[in-house]
């Protein structure tokens, strides 16, 4: 079906629900069909087609994204936890966040400049980068704003990213000893104003030299075996396994080594976490830290039933995870079983728990991930979260609500 068949109203609905065009087309392609899909009962029916049982829909479901959010970040294509079946997120179901425009770059015109405090500045073509050694990583990208709003719970996805490692390129460029910061610029740009100074700035993020020279950092040109789709940064994006989404600069155009810390918008004004932290002598200090490495997190994605027995299924990510525990209502924490991704460093883990003593009525389900060093995903009422005044890094334990018939 040609996209031209959609009415304006359909397009508006599509945008408001956060459903992808594909969802829409698969399910019949009319505004009525779309409205039917938004009815939780119908959702259950659709998801019930999953092979291992009938999905019991959670009572809490994210509301539609507000129009302003779609305007600010583009088509977010948020993931639907309840429909999560595949450990690798298909490209057309992968969420996307863009703060400026989404440039369309012709491969033959693409250039990547490596410059600044290096002995041998150089400009690479796409063909030159693709001829270099190939490296792959399965990495779960989560936007640091995920779960910062009730409507934004699907800003996450897992892909197998392929590209060439960055560190040999930096070595060939010859880092000068004064260089402490590696700044990555995208080809996208937007209007910014700081203290009445107006300018058009490119998207930028930086890494310290020691973070930028880690062996897993990639100049990535492939996502799940396909060239990077345009909205995910074609032809080249930075992939920084273990870091929040914002570090993974799309449409990478320039790498510059500098002698100072970088103070661009996405390092100092946006994607910063502001907390009120207790001081040892009493009182609090307000801290403001740049969002960087991903924090440990988990969620119960759905509950399925098969012939009267129930299973809780979920995911955990954002650090070296040792185990996941699940609690129903105010009961004891019970250990879940990791079913996928156990040996993977940078990919989410899938887990489940057989819920053998489910009783009719309404229940809450909470999960918590526990890191190898013993770090526990904080409870929602942990001061780490209640004293956090910005929505980034909302990694608190998530409680879902469900009704068992
Ligand atoms: N050039 C550029 N890179 C960017 C962004 C952007 O706006 N411009 N957004 C960042 C943010 S905030 C996130 S969460 C991820 C999202 O990646 P995706 O769109 O491929 O899912 O890209 C990051 N890289
Ligand atoms: Mo993000």
């Amino acid at each position: 079906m040609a996209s031209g068949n959609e009415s304006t109203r359909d397009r508006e609905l599509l945008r408001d629900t956060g459903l992808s065009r594909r969802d829409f087309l698969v399910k019949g392609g009319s505004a009525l069909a779309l409205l039917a899909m938004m009815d939780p009962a119908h959702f259950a029916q659709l998801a019930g087609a999953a092979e291992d049982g009938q999905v019991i829909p959670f009572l809490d479901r994210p509301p539609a994204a507000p129009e302003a959010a779609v305007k600010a970040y583009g088509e977010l294509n948020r993931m639907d936890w309840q429909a999560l079946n595949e450990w690798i997120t298909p490209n057309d179901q992968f969420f996307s966040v863009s703060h400026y425009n989404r440039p369309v770059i012709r491969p033959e015109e693409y250039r990547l400049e490596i410059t600044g405090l290096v002995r041998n500045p150089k400009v690479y073509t796409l063909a030159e980068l693709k001829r270099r050694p190939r490296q792959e990583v399965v990495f779960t990208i989560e936007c640091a704003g995920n779960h910062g709003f009730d409507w934004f719970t699907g800003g996450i996805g897992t892909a197998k990213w392929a590209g060439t490692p960055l560190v040999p390129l930096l070595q060939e460029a010859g880092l000068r000893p004064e260089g402490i910061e590696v700044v990555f610029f995208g080809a996208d740009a937007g209007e910014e104003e700081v203290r009445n100074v107006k300018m058009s700035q490119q998207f930028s993020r930086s890494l310290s030299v020691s973070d930028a020279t880690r062996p897993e950092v990639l100049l990535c040109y492939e996502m799940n075996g396909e060239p990077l789709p345009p909205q995910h940064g074609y032809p080249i994006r930075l992939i920084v396994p273990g870091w929040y989404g914002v570090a993974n600069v799309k449409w990478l155009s320039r790498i510059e080594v500098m002698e100072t810390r970088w103070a661009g918008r996405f390092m100092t004004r946006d994607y910063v976490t502001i907390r009120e932290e207790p001081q040892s002598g009493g009182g609090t200090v307000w801290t403001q830290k740049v969002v960087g490495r991903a924090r440990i997190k988990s969620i119960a994605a759905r509950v399925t039933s098969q012939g009267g027995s129930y299973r809780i299924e979920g995911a955990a990510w954002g650090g070296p995870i040792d185990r996941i525990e699940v609690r129903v209502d105010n009961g004891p924490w019970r250990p879940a079983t990791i079913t996928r991704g156990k040996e993977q460093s940078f990919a989410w883990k899938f887990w489940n728990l057989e819920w053998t003593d489910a009783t009719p009525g309404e229940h809450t389900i909470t999960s918590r991930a526990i890191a190898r060093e013993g770090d526990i995903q904080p409870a929602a009422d942990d001061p780490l979260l209640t004293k956090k005044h910005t929505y980034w890094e909302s990694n608190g334990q998530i409680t879902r609500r469900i009704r068992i018939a």
Side-chain angles (χ1 to χ4, degrees):
M1 187 198 296
S3 55
N5 289 356
E6 291 165 29
S7 70
T8 309
R9 188 175 143 70
D10 288 350
R11 271 199 303 276
E12 267 164 24
L13 273 167
L14 203 60
R15 195 180 53 208
D16 288 344
T17 55
L19 292 163
S20 70
R21 180 177 303 266
R22 184 174 159 277
D23 287 331
F24 178 68
L25 294 178
V26 164
K27 271 127 212 171
S30 76
L32 259 181
L34 193 66
L35 284 168
M37 286 167 64
M38 292 162 70
D39 169 11
H42 189 77
F43 254 114
Q45 221 178 307
L46 291 172
E51 69 250 32
D52 14 358
Q54 186 77 22
V55 173
I56 318 287
F58 282 121
L59 301 175
D60 60 289
R61 290 191 55 84
E67 200 133 321
V70 177
K71 241 187 172 151
Y73 311 117
E75 191 52 67
L76 291 158
N77 198 27
R78 296 166 299 158
M79 194 196 65
D80 179 7
W81 284 107
Q82 190 166 292
L84 182 62
N85 269 319
E86 290 162 282
W87 189 64
I88 298 281
T89 314
N91 287 358
D92 63 353
Q93 290 167 37
F94 212 94
F95 85 101
S96 182
V97 175
S98 294
H99 292 273
Y100 298 140
N101 60 317
R102 288 181 157 125
V104 177
I105 298 172
R106 294 234 298 267
E108 64 278 10
E109 284 169 7
Y110 177 76
R111 296 290 181 274
L112 174 67
E113 190 179 4
I114 302 187
T115 185
L117 294 172
V118 292
R119 291 192 184 85
N120 319 300
K122 195 164 166 168
V123 177
Y124 289 91
T125 64
L126 181 58
E128 284 170 330
L129 291 173
K130 288 177 85 170
R131 272 200 297 274
R132 295 182 64 91
R134 178 189 167 94
Q135 189 170 304
E136 294 178 350
V137 63
V138 180
F139 166 40
T140 299
I141 289 195
E142 185 189 23
C143 176
N146 198 33
H147 289 103
F149 303 97
D150 58 355
W151 55 266
F152 194 37
T153 65
I156 183 167
T158 298
K160 187 199 268 184
W161 310 93
T164 194
L166 173 65
V167 62
L169 281 154
L170 292 177
Q171 280 159 353
E172 286 167 38
L175 295 175
R176 291 187 182 277
E178 329 74 280
I180 62 160
E181 190 94 334
V182 185
V183 188
F184 301 89
F185 293 91
D188 52 330
E191 297 308 311
E192 295 294 348
E193 183 179 337
V194 181
R195 290 262 173 173
N196 297 326
V197 180
K198 291 195 175 89
M199 65 212 112
S200 171
Q201 282 191 346
Q202 285 180 310
F203 183 91
S204 68
R205 275 280 299 196
S206 68
L207 294 171
S208 67
V209 166
S210 66
D211 288 332
T213 52
R214 291 192 58 89
E216 65 269 19
V217 178
L218 297 184
L219 301 184
C220 166
Y221 45 75
E222 218 179 86
M223 180 179 183
N224 294 330
E226 290 167 25
L228 271 183
Q231 70 272 31
H232 298 296
Y234 182 85
I236 297 277
R237 82 179 299 171
L238 188 68
I239 284 291
V240 193
W243 287 58
Y244 277 115
V246 69
N248 299 267
V249 178
K250 303 189 279 189
W251 310 290
L252 188 65
S253 64
R254 177 185 171 91
I255 300 175
E256 185 169 343
V257 182
M258 300 193 185
E259 79 289 11
T260 57
R261 304 307 308 272
W262 181 245
R265 166 179 157 192
F266 298 95
M267 299 297 290
T268 57
R269 303 194 298 291
D270 215 344
Y271 288 86
V272 294
T273 295
I274 299 175
R275 283 196 174 90
E276 232 180 313
E277 291 182 7
Q279 277 190 303
S280 51
T284 56
V285 62
W286 285 71
T287 62
Q288 184 167 340
K289 295 181 189 171
V290 56
V291 165
R293 282 190 180 75
R295 287 175 185 270
I296 188 168
K297 194 163 164 183
S298 70
I299 190 172
R302 59 181 181 179
V303 172
T304 58
S305 87
Q306 38 271 312
S309 91
Y310 297 89
R311 177 186 297 152
I312 304 168
E313 303 175 352
W317 64 95
I321 284 157
D322 180 53
R323 60 193 195 278
I324 295 98
E325 294 177 342
V326 182
R327 126 198 262 192
V328 175
D329 302 325
N330 288 320
W333 289 102
R334 301 185 227 187
T337 305
I338 295 175
T339 56
R340 284 299 303 269
K342 207 176 170 113
E343 308 305 326
Q344 300 276 335
S345 307
F346 301 113
W348 58 16
K349 284 152 184 42
F350 277 8
W351 52 262
N352 68 35
L353 177 75
E354 301 302 333
W355 184 12
T356 51
D357 52 356
T359 53
E362 225 179 286
H363 297 282
T364 61
I365 295 172
T366 308
S367 66
R368 64 179 187 188
I370 300 167
R372 259 182 247 138
E373 313 85 60
D375 218 18
I376 300 176
Q377 182 186 354
D381 61 359
D382 190 300
L384 190 73
L385 296 161
T386 57
K387 299 273 187 198
K388 181 167 77 64
H389 293 260
T390 45
Y391 49 80
W392 315 112
E393 302 186 84
S394 292
N395 72 322
Q397 292 168 20
I398 294 162
T399 294
R400 311 293 315 259
R401 291 187 301 112
I402 197 164
R403 194 187 339 266
I404 299 296

